[in-house]
Amino acid sequence: MIAHNLPALQVVLPLIAAPLCLLLRGSNWPWAFATLVSWAAFAISVALLSQVLDSGTISYAMGGWAPPWGIEYRVDTVNAFVLLIVSAIGAVVLPYARVSVGHEIPAERHPAFFTALLLSLTGLLGVTITGDAFNLFVFLEISSLSSYVLIALGRDRRALTASLQYLIMGTIGATFIVIGIGLLYMVTGTLNMADLAARIPAAVDSRTLLAAFAFLTVGTTLKLALFPLHSWLPNAYAYAPSVVTGFLAATATKVSVYILLRFFFSVLGTEYTFERLTLEQLLIPLAAVAVLVCSTVAIYQNDVKRMLAYSSVAQIGYIILGIGFVSTTGLTAAIVHLFNHAVMKGGLFLALGCVMLRVGSVRLDAFAGLGRRMPLTMFAFVLGGLSLIGVPLTVGFISKWYLVQAALEQGAWILAIVILVGSLLAVIYIWRVVEVAYLRPPPADAAPVSEAPLSMLIPTWILIGASIYFGIDTSLTVGIARRAAETLLGVTP
Amino acid sequence: MSGATAIILTLAIPLIGAALIALCGRWPNLREGVTLVTAVLLFLTVISLVPEVAGGGRPSAKLIEMLPGIPLAFEVEPLGMLFGLVASGLWIVNSIYSIGYMRGNDEANQTRFYVCFALALASTMGIAFAGNMMTLFVFYEALTLSTYPLVTHKGDEAAKQGGRTYLGILLSTSIGLLLLAILWTWQVAGTLDFRPGGILTGKMSDTALAILLFLYVYGVGKAALMPIHRWLPAAMVAPTPVSALLHAVAVVKAGVFTVLKVVVYIFGIDLLRDTGQSEWLMYVAAASLIIASLVAMTKDNLKARLAYSTVSQLGYIVLGAALADSWGIVGGAMHIAMHAMGKITLFFCAGAIYTAAHLTEISDMRGLGRRMPFTFGAFLIGALSIIGLPPFGGLWSKWYLALGALEAHQIALVAVLMISSLLNIAYLLPIPLRAFFAKSAESVSAQAAPQQGIKEAPLPCLIAIGVTALGCLALFFYPTPILQLLEPLVAR
Amino acid sequence: MDIPADIPGLYNYWIVVVLMMVGFYVVISRTNLVKKIVGLNIFQTSVFILYISMGKVKGGTAPILVDHPVTYSNPLPHVLILTAIVVGVATTALGAALIVRIKEAYGTVEEDEIQAMEPDE
């Protein structure tokens, strides 16, 4: 019976767990409870993924109400993969959270913190798994609202303004999405995604559909922080607590990319989106600019968290570039980069959290001499950085390989060069940190600093280790990404 | 042991050695012992592959399929065998030298030094025995990264700047140009395997071939073709054993080796000769050759002069590759060995001079030869080998390069080779000659505060210098094994 | 499309557009954080009206079940909007809470004053 209800459990488990977490007292109980729930969610997503890989798309009618009137949870290769990414990051970040949160957030707020984290997890999982458009909006707002709370818990008072700015922009984005959904409903009379996909071809000439398309485009690109709608991201990531940045950087934008994929490939269809309305002509230039501009801005940051935040916007540019190619290779590149970026950025931000714990700051100057004082943490940072650069034997290389392949397949030489130049820009900003950490002696009056505790080092190294492992043995990630790409493009394998 | 095992061992031995060296950091003598044992074991393993390769066999090993259709795979063929022998053999000598140098100069961070050296050698083995372009690229990048801590060893501002230039140029070229070339090759040929006769025949237009060659040659920044040669003089901030590693043992050799491999096994000699698309490269290499020699003459800093000399000598090898005929390839490949032996001697001497006399500028070295006869004697031998005079090995490689130029009907290039030999004489020979025969420089006699004057360098350094100088001599009398090894490359 | 006849007929959409733009403009142009949140609310309200007005069926009554057959307006948008209203309330509450904390931390709720208080990175 559990096996049959896995799709529902994926969301219901963390959802019910969240208010329960609020009732727990102290710091350790909420943390332990949240960690167990996140592991359970991870186990469920693994089970779902293997089920989908074996027997194809799962369709689950929530509450037994048959679609298209009832809400349907529909799991295919694409969202099974994203579910895996989100729950895996959650499962790795939560054990890390005990010490990190204990250090950065006042004790009386811990139950609320873990509650909000569970709600965020719920929302992200819900967005990914649902097959109903309005349900997607609801879960999106659940995850967003809890994210605003999580970000606002940062120590620096700028976290408050960052959270408010994110709130305003995020709400506008989500509202645009809901307008788009409403207009889609007006045109087709249904909210079920599969049903929408079936009915939209009949309405392609409608101006309402065009308006829906426009609103959905702006809303989703705002949520996934595509240049120039990315301005909420650097501040939000920079001032949030380390655990929050690590979690959100690896999940929130990935799920928003999933929303884009789902709406534009599955619901509206590639023919309407790309052949009739040529969305790629908007996506590709913006993505290319994102890669170049944001990588350059990252170089000039003195706060390493901010630097990596801009780097994230650039990496999202890569993902959108891959989508813009509208080819199997391009989509494979984009989808595999969802996974690859999650592990490498997650690992990098967790490493920064270790530094924050021991040194108290993540400004560039604070890294002086850390190569010697915190060798494991800095080495993790170096490996993650090499992955961002795209050195072979890391996941970053795999993504770049497929991206440039996709560009070359379409003869887009300039884009291939843009992608490679982005790597070179990454060399500059990563090497700024490496030089300070390894080649600058610590200030004479610096307090002695020890290595981070194991409970934080192990999750960091799990993610960094994954970023190396999946750069060598790519059969799993690339295989799933390719199948997902073929599903989205409607190519029969 | 089987070929596959031997290949895997050549990678595993230095890697395990690196780990052991790191563990033995606290006991310097043990640590140095581990380095030497590792180097000797590696050399023996590499030698064990020679009979099979010389007999026409191609031992191979496959690790894992990194991307669909692109495995991490190894295959030993003559070029790789030669390079592997040079690198692993010279590692032993370099380690002996390093012990003397690092201890003589009381350098800090010695454990990190030896560990990175071992890692660099592991990468070099990976490059030498790579069976496809992707494997080579993986280890090429690994070599760049593992040598960075060596280049920035001193940790001061100059080291940092040198490191930036080093990494900047090497990574920019490898990611910006070489990776692009590899992806394009994959796109066009559907494979990245090294195959005799190349994998591009009939698949690309002539102009595309020329552009692809350009991307490859300039993408391989380690070949130091002008104008991307700047990293080589910039890397002179490193301690001398590292310079020896860079110039002779591994790094630049990996660069020109890659160029040779690409020319022979990706493009194919016949394809390049028939389409004539490597002609531009001949002229670029010739220009690089001459200009670097001219710049070398202006440098007073010994290591800088040697650096530009290397840039010039690498131009020879690239020229050999560009000639795209049998003698050119053979000459270029031989020059990997000859130049390695000669240059490492020169660098060892430069380091000995620095350790014993604390001198770096050539103008200060007048008359020093009388106090350091052994060192400058070896320097003379190394210089003669580089210039290409008998009885030293450098003669053979220049001979075959000249033959290659003739075969390709490039008389002008033969002249270029002649001129550059003259330039080599001009910038190399005065150093030992003035050291032996000129009056001591004023600054030297003024600095001779300890009344005994300057003595020779530490013993391990001298042993290493002696071995490599003898090597230059030996290579003159025994070039045949190398020629026999390289023969399959040019057999029709 | 017959422009003159349709404009008054689409009056509900015009209201939606006006409210949406007013709300959006308030969010962008006002520096007072409270006013921004109010603008956000207006913006969200326009969406509610969009949904509800699209659900109206000509001659339809409130979608509450009665005995005799009657034309109902579409109940689905009403349900959707209840959810959306809740989301809007939660957002507003959260925004207001953040503004209270900002006032505690900075002593002001004017955006330009807050930016002046934080030195540039």
Side-chain angles (χ1 to χ4, degrees):
Chain A
M1 191 193 97
I2 292 187
H4 173 69
N5 289 314
L6 277 180
L9 280 173
Q10 176 82 90
V11 177
V12 165
L13 196 62
L15 181 63
I16 303 284
L20 288 178
C21 192
L22 197 55
L23 297 172
L24 296 169
R25 290 275 148 254
S27 301
N28 285 328
W29 284 111
W31 164 76
F33 183 61
T35 308
L36 284 174
V37 170
S38 70
W39 287 353
F42 177 59
I44 296 175
S45 71
V46 170
L48 280 174
L49 180 63
S50 50
Q51 203 178 330
V52 169
L53 290 176
D54 276 335
S55 35
T57 312
I58 304 173
S59 170
Y60 179 85
M62 203 57 168
W65 298 102
W69 302 277
I71 290 181
E72 180 192 15
Y73 281 5
R74 204 178 170 84
V75 190
D76 62 11
T77 332
V78 187
N79 55 358
F81 194 41
V82 179
L83 281 174
L84 182 77
I85 297 172
V86 173
S87 58
I89 298 290
V92 171
V93 166
L94 268 164
Y96 175 96
R98 188 173 68 87
V99 177
S100 181
V101 168
H103 178 249
E104 291 184 29
I105 298 180
E108 65 268 13
R109 298 225 174 100
H110 287 183
F113 175 84
F114 288 107
T115 308
L117 197 54
L118 281 175
L119 277 176
S120 189
L121 187 65
T122 310
L124 292 169
L125 292 172
V127 169
T128 315
I129 202 170
T130 186
D132 180 289
F134 196 80
N135 202 221
L136 186 144
F137 164 73
V138 172
F139 278 118
L140 184 65
E141 284 296 75
I142 293 179
S143 72
S144 303
L145 286 169
S146 43
S147 309
Y148 309 147
V149 171
L150 289 170
I151 292 172
L153 286 171
R155 268 200 298 204
D156 193 318
R157 65 180 181 176
R158 284 172 290 188
L160 296 169
T161 43
S163 175
L164 190 65
Q165 187 195 8
Y166 184 21
L167 184 148
I168 293 175
M169 285 187 77
T171 307
I172 294 178
T175 310
F176 272 26
I177 292 178
V178 85
I179 295 175
I181 295 173
L183 292 174
L184 282 180
Y185 176 69
M186 272 173 72
V187 171
T188 58
T190 176
L191 288 169
N192 180 292
M193 287 182 194
D195 205 21
L196 276 169
R199 289 179 189 232
I200 278 179
V204 282
D205 292 318
S206 144
R207 189 165 294 171
T208 315
L209 192 61
L210 196 59
F213 179 83
F215 277 110
L216 282 171
T217 307
V218 177
T220 42
T221 50
L222 199 155
K223 276 294 195 184
L224 59 87
L226 179 65
F227 185 94
L229 298 172
H230 67 289
S231 53
W232 57 267
L233 195 148
N235 281 338
Y237 282 14
Y239 302 124
S242 311
V243 172
V244 173
T245 314
F247 180 70
L248 287 180
T251 54
T253 42
K254 313 291 168 294
V255 169
S256 303
V257 171
Y258 164 77
I259 297 178
L260 188 145
L261 287 173
R262 188 55 84 196
F263 270 117
F264 290 112
F265 284 85
S266 303
V267 174
L268 290 166
T270 43
E271 212 182 281
Y272 184 71
T273 313
F274 295 108
E275 284 170 40
R276 203 179 149 106
L277 290 179
T278 63
L279 183 65
E280 74 274 8
Q281 287 187 7
L282 175 73
L283 291 179
I284 290 186
L286 287 179
V289 170
V291 168
L292 294 175
V293 168
C294 292
S295 298
T296 312
V297 173
I299 297 174
Y300 292 101
Q301 299 304 312
N302 282 322
D303 179 323
V304 180
K305 235 169 147 188
R306 213 126 187 238
M307 177 196 286
L308 290 182
Y310 276 106
S311 165
S312 292
V313 183
Q315 298 290 316
I316 290 165
Y318 283 123
I319 299 177
I320 300 297
L321 258 184
I323 295 178
F325 289 128
V326 198
S327 61
T328 313
T329 317
L331 269 180
T332 309
I335 295 175
V336 85
H337 203 50
L338 289 178
F339 179 86
N340 292 344
H341 184 238
V343 289
M344 58 182 176
K345 251 323 151 38
L348 279 169
F349 276 118
L350 291 190
L352 283 189
C354 295
V355 173
M356 176 64 105
L357 178 77
R358 289 297 188 220
V359 181
S361 158
V362 282
R363 294 192 64 82
L364 194 57
D365 303 323
F367 276 78
L370 272 190
R372 190 152 295 206
R373 300 187 285 159
M374 293 180 77
L376 288 172
T377 309
M378 280 318 299
F379 192 51
F381 186 92
V382 170
L383 287 181
L386 290 179
S387 189
L388 271 182
I389 293 170
V391 165
L393 295 186
T394 61
V395 286
F397 177 71
I398 304 295
S399 308
K400 295 257 164 71
W401 176 267
Y402 278 105
L403 271 174
V404 179
Q405 274 283 284
L408 289 181
E409 266 174 20
Q410 305 199 337
W413 284 95
I414 303 188
L415 288 173
I417 293 176
V418 164
I419 296 168
L420 294 173
V421 168
S423 291
L424 296 177
L425 292 170
V427 173
I428 303 180
Y429 60 73
I430 291 295
W431 229 255
R432 277 190 79 199
V433 182
V434 168
E435 271 189 3
V436 171
Y438 287 97
L439 292 175
R440 199 193 287 184
D445 55 354
V449 146
S450 61
E451 186 57 87
L454 270 181
S455 71
M456 287 172 74
L457 269 183
I458 294 183
T460 313
W461 272 98
I462 290 179
L463 286 179
I464 296 292
S467 75
I468 304 286
Y469 177 77
F470 288 108
I472 302 179
D473 181 7
T474 62
S475 46
L476 188 70
T477 48
V478 173
I480 297 179
R482 171 146 269 148
R483 280 178 68 162
E486 284 166 358
T487 311
L488 284 175
L489 287 174
V491 171
T492 33
Chain B
M1 67 183 121
S2 79
T5 325
I7 297 175
I8 304 294
L9 274 178
T10 57
L11 287 169
I13 291 174
L15 285 173
I16 299 175
L20 287 174
I21 295 170
L23 289 171
C24 297
R26 231 169 300 163
W27 306 284
N29 291 326
L30 182 60
R31 177 188 66 201
E32 261 71 298
V34 172
T35 305
L36 288 171
V37 167
T38 313
V40 170
L41 280 177
L42 179 64
F43 186 58
L44 291 175
T45 316
V46 173
I47 287 197
S48 77
L49 286 165
V50 173
E52 197 179 333
V53 178
R58 298 282 175 262
S60 64
K62 192 163 142 165
L63 275 185
I64 184 174
E65 187 133 323
M66 205 168 96
L67 288 163
I70 309 177
L72 274 179
F74 304 94
E75 194 180 354
V76 186
E77 44 72 54
L79 277 174
M81 191 76 253
L82 181 63
F83 181 39
L85 281 168
V86 168
S88 52
L90 288 179
W91 187 19
I92 305 177
V93 184
N94 202 337
S95 302
I96 300 174
Y97 183 85
S98 301
I99 296 172
Y101 183 90
M102 299 300 273
R103 292 183 182 201
N105 283 303
D106 203 22
E107 289 270 359
N109 293 315
Q110 289 193 31
T111 309
R112 182 180 77 193
F113 175 87
Y114 288 108
V115 169
C116 288
F117 235 95
L119 290 174
L121 260 296
S123 314
T124 311
M125 290 299 124
I127 296 177
F129 300 140
N132 59 41
M133 197 61 212
M134 175 62 83
T135 312
L136 197 150
F137 182 67
V138 168
F139 286 103
Y140 183 92
E141 297 291 73
L143 185 61
T144 308
L145 292 170
S146 56
T147 47
Y148 175 79
L150 290 170
V151 171
T152 56
H153 182 92
K154 292 229 167 71
D156 58 13
E157 192 58 38
K160 226 198 282 193
Q161 289 289 13
R164 270 189 212 161
T165 313
Y166 182 78
L167 203 69
I169 295 186
L170 287 182
L171 280 183
S172 312
T173 49
S174 68
I175 295 180
L177 297 170
L178 184 58
L179 184 56
L180 193 58
I182 296 176
L183 276 156
W184 191 4
T185 311
W186 168 253
Q187 184 90 34
V188 164
T191 176
L192 288 173
D193 291 342
F194 288 131
R195 294 204 193 129
I199 53 176
L200 292 173
T201 321
K203 297 209 172 106
M204 292 178 88
S205 72
D206 283 358
T207 338
L209 271 176
I211 300 179
L212 186 62
L213 187 62
F214 174 86
L215 287 176
Y216 267 115
V217 169
Y218 276 106
V220 179
K222 295 195 172 100
L225 199 61
M226 283 187 148
I228 53 165
H229 65 288
R230 277 288 303 138
W231 64 269
L232 199 50
M236 289 303 101
V237 295
T240 307
V242 177
S243 305
L245 173 74
L246 261 52
H247 289 248
V249 180
V251 179
V252 300
K253 295 292 171 290
V256 285
F257 168 77
T258 308
V259 172
L260 279 170
K261 275 235 47 159
V262 164
V263 162
V264 176
Y265 293 107
I266 299 275
F267 286 87
I269 307 176
D270 295 333
L271 179 67
L272 280 178
R273 199 192 48 238
D274 293 339
T275 57
Q277 289 310 314
S278 61
E279 219 177 292
W280 65 269
L281 186 57
M282 294 182 214
Y283 302 127
V284 170
S288 183
L289 233 163
I290 300 279
I291 298 178
S293 295
L294 291 171
V295 175
M297 293 200 317
T298 68
K299 295 286 176 193
D300 196 35
N301 181 296
L302 180 57
K303 277 172 84 170
R305 185 175 288 201
L306 293 178
Y308 277 98
S309 165
T310 302
V311 175
S312 170
Q313 297 292 313
L314 293 175
Y316 280 77
I317 304 179
V318 177
L319 178 61
L323 286 169
D325 58 38
S326 31
W327 290 124
I329 302 289
V330 168
M334 279 192 89
H335 205 53
I336 290 183
M338 305 302 178
H339 176 249
M341 198 61 81
K343 220 12 131 13
I344 205 174
T345 311
L346 293 177
F347 268 105
F348 281 168
C349 294
I353 297 169
Y354 176 72
T355 308
H358 300 289
L359 292 174
T360 55
E361 306 303 304
I362 295 171
S363 44
D364 293 337
M365 293 176 193
R366 287 196 305 254
L368 197 55
R370 292 191 283 278
R371 281 180 250 239
M372 298 178 76
F374 189 77
T375 304
F376 277 97
F379 194 101
L380 182 62
I381 294 178
L384 288 174
S385 183
I386 297 281
I387 292 168
L389 289 170
F392 301 109
L395 171 69
W396 291 119
S397 49
K398 296 222 171 158
W399 178 263
Y400 288 116
L401 280 171
L403 278 182
L406 279 174
E407 190 184 330
H409 308 295
Q410 298 281 353
I411 312 293
L413 292 177
V414 181
V416 164
L417 288 170
M418 299 290 143
I419 296 175
S420 93
S421 291
L422 291 173
L423 289 173
N424 288 352
I425 297 178
Y427 68 70
L428 276 180
L429 223 40
I431 303 173
L433 290 179
R434 261 190 236 145
F436 281 126
F437 301 122
K439 253 201 325 239
S440 297
E442 290 303 314
S443 52
V444 171
S445 19
Q447 268 175 16
Q451 278 315 314
Q452 293 92 317
I454 297 148
K455 54 190 192 329
E456 279 285 11
L459 185 61
C461 296
L462 292 179
I463 296 178
I465 293 176
V467 168
T468 54
L470 279 175
C472 292
L473 193 59
L475 280 173
F476 174 75
F477 291 107
Y478 300 105
T480 338
I482 302 182
L483 277 172
Q484 281 177 336
L485 188 63
L486 292 173
E487 210 186 301
L489 280 179
V490 297
R492 296 273 177 261
Chain C
M1 189 183 93
D2 189 9
I3 297 181
D6 274 350
I7 293 180
L10 296 169
Y11 70 93
N12 56 325
Y13 297 117
W14 288 111
I15 294 177
V16 169
V17 167
V18 166
L19 277 177
M20 196 187 295
M21 289 305 115
V22 165
F24 202 41
Y25 177 75
V26 171
V27 171
I28 300 176
S29 70
R30 294 283 159 249
T31 56
N32 184 305
L33 295 178
V34 179
K35 291 186 184 172
K36 279 186 191 285
I37 296 296
V38 171
L40 203 59
N41 249 295
I42 299 175
F43 181 67
Q44 288 176 313
T45 309
S46 73
V47 180
F48 305 157
I49 298 181
L50 173 69
Y51 268 72
I52 297 173
S53 67
M54 88 165 81
K56 170 79 176 172
V57 170
K58 196 163 180 177
T61 179
I64 301 172
L65 202 57
V66 293
D67 298 331
H68 50 275
V70 93
T71 315
Y72 296 112
S73 290
N74 191 342
L76 184 60
H78 294 228
V79 165
L80 299 179
I81 288 311
L82 281 173
T83 314
I85 290 177
V86 170
V87 170
V89 167
T91 311
T92 310
L94 184 53
L98 279 172
I99 294 176
V100 168
R101 291 285 309 284
I102 291 177
K103 174 84 170 155
E104 282 171 18
Y106 287 93
T108 169
V109 288
E110 292 291 330
E111 191 182 34
D112 41 6
E113 289 176 26
I114 293 172
Q115 270 173 1
M117 288 173 70
E118 290 296 345
D120 259 339
E121 281 283 319

